[in-house]
C-alpha cells in the first residue's frame, strides 16, 4: 500500500568541522520520502521554488517517488543552513530563508486522498491538519514535529494529537511537551493526549515505542563515522512508515520491525551529507544491517 | 565459582529533591558485592572504621558475602555525601571524608588469593594493582574506574589496563580517556590499551560491550521512578561478574547475558536509596525483569 508524505522540501547548506556542502537536497519530506521509497510506493506533498535543481527532481523520480503533489511556485526554495560542532550532536542554525515555503498550502491531488498510510513529517501543525482534512479515512496516520511548534503552535499540535495513530518526537521535545524527565511518565502523558502509539527518539541511543502491547527498545545502528546527521529523524520515521505500509496484517505485528528498518535507514543517512548516502543504498544493504542489529541485541 | 570484589565500603548521605537519607550503606564494593551475591559466593575486600553500623555487617552476611577480607580499622568509615538534581542525572558532591579509607591497604586472606573471578571495583588504580599482585592466576579480571583516576592516576590506570580481561567505564570517562566522541573509535583505542572486553556504560541508555565476537547493545530496564541512582554502575558490573562466575563454559558464551543480569540488578538499585531496594530483591524478581528485557528488545 502507498504512503503519503507531507513536509518540507528544502535546500540545506551544511557545515561540519570537516566539510561544507551548499544547497543539498533536504527537508523533512525529502528525507522521509526517500527512506520510505525502499519499501513501496510513496506520494510526496511539498513545495519548491524556481531555483530547485532539476537533478533533485530526477533523484526523487529515480527513487520511484510520485511527485503529483509537489508544487512548483514562483520564488525561491526553502533554504536552511546549519553548522555542526565536532561531536555532531550540537548544531546551530546559520540561516533560514523560507521562500515559497511561507506560502505553502498543501492541496492534495485526488489520487492522493485515498492513501491508506499518511506521514505528516515535520511542518507546521496547521498544515498537518489541512492535509488530514483532505484525506478519506486513512488506515494509519503518524506525525513528527519539532521544538518550534511546541513553542509557537502548541494548541494546533494538541488538536492534531487527537487525530493521530502514532506520534513521533525526540526526547527533548517529549520533556518540553510533558515536563517529565522520566520516559515512562512522558509516554503516559502523551498517550492521554491521543495517540495509541508514541515513539520517542533518542538520537544515537535509538528510540523507544510505547503502544498497546507495551514498550519496544529500538536500537540505533552503531556507526564508525557520522558525516552529517541532518534528516536522520525524518529518515527514521519515513523508513518506519514505508515498511508499515508495505507489510500485510495488523500494525501491532509489524511496528517493531518497522522501527528497526527506520533506524537502519537513518544510520545510512548519517553516513553522508544530505541524502548522498541514502540514495546510493539498496534494499540488500538495509536487510544486512537489520540482521546485524538482531545479532547485536540478542543475549 | 567465587568472585573476589575489592573497592570502597562507605557510608553515603544522599539528598534528592524528594528525600534525604543519612549514612546509608554505600561504596563501590558494597554495591558490587550485593549485586554479585544473587548468583554465587562473593569475597569482599574493603575497610571500615569503628563507626560502621553492625546492621550493615549483618546485611552483608545475610547476602552470603564472605567478610574475611573486610578490615576494621580505628577511625571513621569513609563518608560521602551528595545531592541530586530533579532529573536524577546531575549530582554534586557535598562532602568527602576519607577516614580509614585513606590508609586502606588491601591485604588478601590466603583463601581469597585463589578466587577465579576478580572484580576491581572503583578504587585507586594503585590499590587495584596491589590486589592483583596477590592473586594466583585468576581466570577473569575486570575493573571499573572513575573520572578522578583518569585525572590524577592515569599512568597507574594505563598499566592496570594491560592486566585486565575486561574494563568497564562510562561514556564520559571513555571520552576523557580517548578523546573520541564516537563509541566505536573509543572502543578501538581502549582495546589497544589491553583489555579484550570493553564495556561502556551509558546510564539510562544501557551499555555497550565490545569483545572478540563484536558488539552487544545491552538495554537498560525502563523504570517508572528513579529514587537514587547511586551505585547503579557498581551494581551493574557486580551483577555481571557474579553471573559470569556462576556460569559454566567460556566467557564469550555468557557475557552478554551476564551484562543483562547486571543491568537488571542496577535497575533495582535505582529504585531505592542506597542498597535498600537491592537487598530486598530475590532471584525470581531478577529473572522476571531479564525475561521482560528479552521481550522489550525482540523485533
Amino acid at each position: 500500500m502507498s504512503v503519503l508524505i507531507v513536509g518540507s522540501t528544502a535546500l540545506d547548506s551544511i557545515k561540519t568541522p570537516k566539510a561544507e556542502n551548499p544547497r543539498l537536497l533536504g527537508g523533512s519530506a525529502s528525507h522521509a520520502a526517500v527512506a520510505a521509497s525502499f519499501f513501496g510506493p510513496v506520494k510526496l506533498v511539498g513545495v519548491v521554488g524556481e531555483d530547485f535543481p532539476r537533478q533533485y527532481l530526477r533523484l526523487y523520480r529515480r527513487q520511484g517517488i510520485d511527485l503529483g503533489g509537489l508544487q512548483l511556485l514562483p520564488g525561491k526554495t526553502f533554504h536552511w543552513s546549519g553548522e555542526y560542532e565536532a561531536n555532531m550532536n550540537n548544531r546551530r542554525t546559520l540561516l533560514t530563508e523560507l521562500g515559497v515555503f511561507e506560502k505553502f498550502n498543501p492541496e492534495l491531488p485526488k489520487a492522493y486522498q485515498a492513501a491508506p498510510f499518511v506521514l505528516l513529517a515535520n511542518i507546521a501543525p496547521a498544515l498537518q491538519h489541512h492535509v488530514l482534512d483532505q484525506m478519506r479515512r486513512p488506515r494509519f496516520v503518524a506525525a513528527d514535529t519539532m521544538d518550534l511548534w511546541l513553542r509557537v503552535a502548541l494548541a494546533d499540535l494538541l488538536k492534531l494529537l487527537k487525530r493521530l495513530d502514532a506520534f513521533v518526537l525526540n526526547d527533548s521535545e517529549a520533556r518540553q511537551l510533558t515536563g517529565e524527565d522520566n520516559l515512562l511518565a512522558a509516554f503516559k502523558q502523551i498517550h492521554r493526549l491521543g495517540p495509541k502509539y508514541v515513539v520517542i527518539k533518542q538520537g544515537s541511543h535509538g528510540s523507544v515505542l510505547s503502544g498497546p502491547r507495551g514498550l519496544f527498545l529500538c536500537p540505533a545502528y552503531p556507526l564508525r563515522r557520522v558525516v552529517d546527521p541532518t534528516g536522520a529523524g525524518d529518515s527514521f520515521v519515513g523508513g518506519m512508515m514505508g515498511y508499515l505500509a508495505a507489510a500485510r496484517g495488523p500494525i501491532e505485528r509489524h511496528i517493531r520491525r518497522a522501527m528497526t528498518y527506520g533506524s537502519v535507514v537513518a544510520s545510512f543517512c548519517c553516513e553522508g551529507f544530505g541524502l548522498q548516502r541514502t540514495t546510493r543504498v539498496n534494499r540488500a544493504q538495509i536487510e544486512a544491517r537489520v540482521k546485524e542489529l538482531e545479532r547485536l541485541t540478542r543475549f
Side-chain angles (χ1 to χ4, degrees), chain A residues 38 267-282 285 289:
Chain A
F38 293 105
S267 76
F268 285 114
C269 172
C270 293
E271 288 184 317
F273 274 96
L275 278 154
Q276 288 176 349
R277 173 90 168 111
T278 319
T279 49
R280 283 186 182 86
V281 162
N282 59 42
Q285 291 171 294
R289 284 200 177 175

Side-chain angles (χ1 to χ4, degrees), chain A residues 121-298:
Chain A
N122 174 31
I123 195 178
L127 299 183
Q128 293 176 316
H129 273 291
H130 185 57
V131 168
L132 275 192
D133 291 342
Q134 299 167 67
M135 297 300 299
R136 287 206 302 272
R137 304 169 54 83
R139 188 176 154 212
F140 192 79
V141 179
D144 197 348
T145 194
M146 72 183 288
D147 53 351
L148 174 68
W149 311 125
L150 292 169
R151 283 200 308 275
V152 307
L154 184 59
D156 283 350
L157 184 66
L158 291 176
K159 255 183 271 170
L160 183 79
L161 291 183
K162 296 187 199 307
R163 307 178 72 182
L164 301 178
D165 297 290
F167 184 43
V168 180
L169 70 175
N170 71 34
D171 42 12
S172 64
E173 291 155 4
R175 262 194 302 278
Q176 197 182 334
L177 177 61
T178 65
E180 287 287 354
D181 280 308
N182 182 283
L183 205 65
L184 303 190
F187 275 131
K188 203 171 164 184
Q189 277 205 39
I190 301 171
H191 280 305
R192 275 205 208 112
L193 297 171
K196 187 170 165 185
Y197 296 95
V198 179
V199 175
I200 296 182
K201 298 175 287 182
Q202 304 176 312
S204 64
H205 295 298
S207 58
V208 185
L209 163 76
S210 171
R213 287 201 207 157
L215 300 179
F216 169 54
L217 310 178
C218 179
Y221 184 86
L223 291 173
R224 265 165 225 297
R225 208 161 71 96
V226 172
V227 173
D228 169 20
T230 313
D234 307 310
S235 299
F236 166 75
V237 67
M240 176 185 109
M241 285 296 280
Y243 184 91
L244 270 183
R248 281 160 204 277
I251 297 296
E252 190 59 42
R253 190 191 299 160
H254 300 293
I255 192 163
R256 296 170 156 230
R257 189 154 275 267
M259 284 173 66
T260 311
Y261 276 85
S263 183
V264 162
V265 179
S267 76
F268 285 114
C269 172
C270 293
E271 288 184 317
F273 274 96
L275 278 154
Q276 288 176 349
R277 173 90 168 111
T278 319
T279 49
R280 283 186 182 86
V281 162
N282 59 42
R283 181 69 187 259
Q285 291 171 294
I286 294 171
E287 295 296 338
R289 284 200 177 175
V290 169
K291 276 218 174 64
E292 205 179 332
L293 274 183
E294 267 184 296
R295 278 196 302 273
L296 295 184
T297 53
R298 210 180 291 147

